[in-house]
Amino acid sequence: MKVILVGSTGTLGKKVLQQLESAGHRVLTVNRSSGDAQLDMQSAEAVEAFFKKVGAFDALIATSGTAKWGNIGALSGQDYMLGLQSKLMGQVNLVHIGRKYAAEKAVFVLTSGVLAQYPMEGSSSLTMINSAIEGYARAVSLELDQQKIQVVSPGWVKETMEMMGMDSSEGTAASEVATYYLKALTVEESGTVLQVVG
Ligand SMILES: NC(=O)c1ccc[n+]([C@@H]2O[C@H](COP(=O)([O-])OP(=O)(O)OC[C@H]3O[C@@H](n4cnc5c(N)ncnc54)[C@H](OP(=O)(O)O)[C@@H]3O)[C@@H](O)[C@H]2O)c1
């Protein structure tokens, strides 16, 4: 398969890249600042230009985008906009624009996160964005004809917890989370959320 991987240098993306290559897929790596192509997925114009250049592809995996953590007293409207523009609209742009260039039976795999189902204090922006991604995928799957869309919802990733100085004993290794992205490429039904269980 020709697979576009947006976010290939991240904690999750690095492992997804390794596993895609081990499985024999041709991977085009895309990030803002490195990779086979540089792209800011927040910019619809840049995304359109990117797909025009790349042409047809069989799958796109997004392990990219960010949103701001923080209690409601600390978050500004601008902080909420960060998640909306980066993690939500960035991934939506990849599907909304990419579908016109993708193969007839292409698969899109987006990333949400466990905070959609299990909110915590400080997660209002992330919970909102993750839930929106899952809702978008469920709804848009009804209109994509033969193309499919799936969402991987990672729990806390061990390496990220270690980076943040948290107890990582309950975390899931990034390599284990990565297996869900490869699994998502073969799921029969469209619009599903693959919950990573640690
Ligand atoms: N790690 C966790 O514990 C965890 C848990 C649940 C959900 N998630 C979700 O999983 C996703 C990946 O997490 P991660 O920890 O692997 O993130 P990460 O280490 O911060 O990596 C993010 C990757 O995305 C790229 N990227 C970011 N913004 C982009 C943009 N606007 N356009 C194109 N590329 C962009 C980055 O490259 P450049 O910097 O070069 O752009 C980088 O390759 C995120 O959406 C995160 O919310 C993570």
Side-chain angles (χ1 to χ4, degrees):
M1 270 188 178
K2 178 178 173 184
V3 184
I4 297 174
L5 175 60
V6 185
S8 68
T9 56
T11 307
L12 293 179
K14 273 190 275 196
K15 299 295 178 184
V16 174
L17 175 61
Q18 278 174 8
Q19 293 181 21
L20 285 169
E21 288 182 334
S22 300
H25 297 296
R26 281 181 298 134
V27 188
L28 184 82
T29 57
V30 183
N31 305 286
R32 272 174 308 191
S33 49
S34 62
D36 298 321
Q38 284 87 57
L39 170 70
D40 183 349
M41 65 179 186
Q42 287 182 222
S43 162
E45 293 76 22
V47 170
E48 185 91 51
F50 164 76
F51 282 122
K52 253 190 199 140
K53 205 163 156 192
V54 163
F57 58 93
D58 304 299
L60 181 146
I61 297 176
T63 54
S64 42
T66 189
K68 183 110 176 173
W69 184 267
N71 290 320
I72 51 171
L75 289 179
S76 65
Q78 215 32 52
D79 291 332
Y80 281 104
M81 284 306 288
L82 171 74
L84 288 167
Q85 290 171 338
S86 172
K87 188 165 178 176
L88 178 59
M89 279 314 296
Q91 295 194 83
V92 168
N93 281 338
L94 296 174
V95 178
H96 189 69
I97 300 167
R99 74 187 204 285
K100 297 182 285 174
Y101 299 89
E104 205 179 5
K105 296 189 177 179
V107 185
F108 293 87
V109 185
L110 307 186
T111 300
S112 61
V114 67
L115 294 167
Q117 280 76 37
Y118 298 98
M120 295 167 65
E121 283 186 21
S123 80
S124 63
S125 177
L126 277 152
T127 294
M128 173 181 82
I129 298 299
N130 290 342
S131 306
I133 291 163
E134 295 178 7
Y136 169 72
R138 275 197 300 274
V140 88
S141 70
L142 306 173
E143 301 182 37
L144 283 177
D145 295 326
Q146 294 190 68
Q147 294 175 343
K148 287 180 189 166
I149 180 167
Q150 316 293 0
V151 180
V152 172
S153 175
W156 284 95
V157 175
K158 204 177 252 306
E159 290 87 336
T160 302
M161 297 177 96
E162 282 161 7
M163 253 179 332
M164 292 170 74
M166 296 163 72
D167 172 10
S168 65
S169 52
E170 301 281 312
T172 309
S175 57
E176 169 68 17
V177 179
T179 64
Y180 287 74
Y181 288 88
L182 275 85
K183 203 183 301 171
L185 296 177
T186 62
V187 172
E188 190 60 38
E189 205 183 324
S190 185
T192 65
V193 178
L194 286 82
Q195 313 267 3
V196 176
V197 278

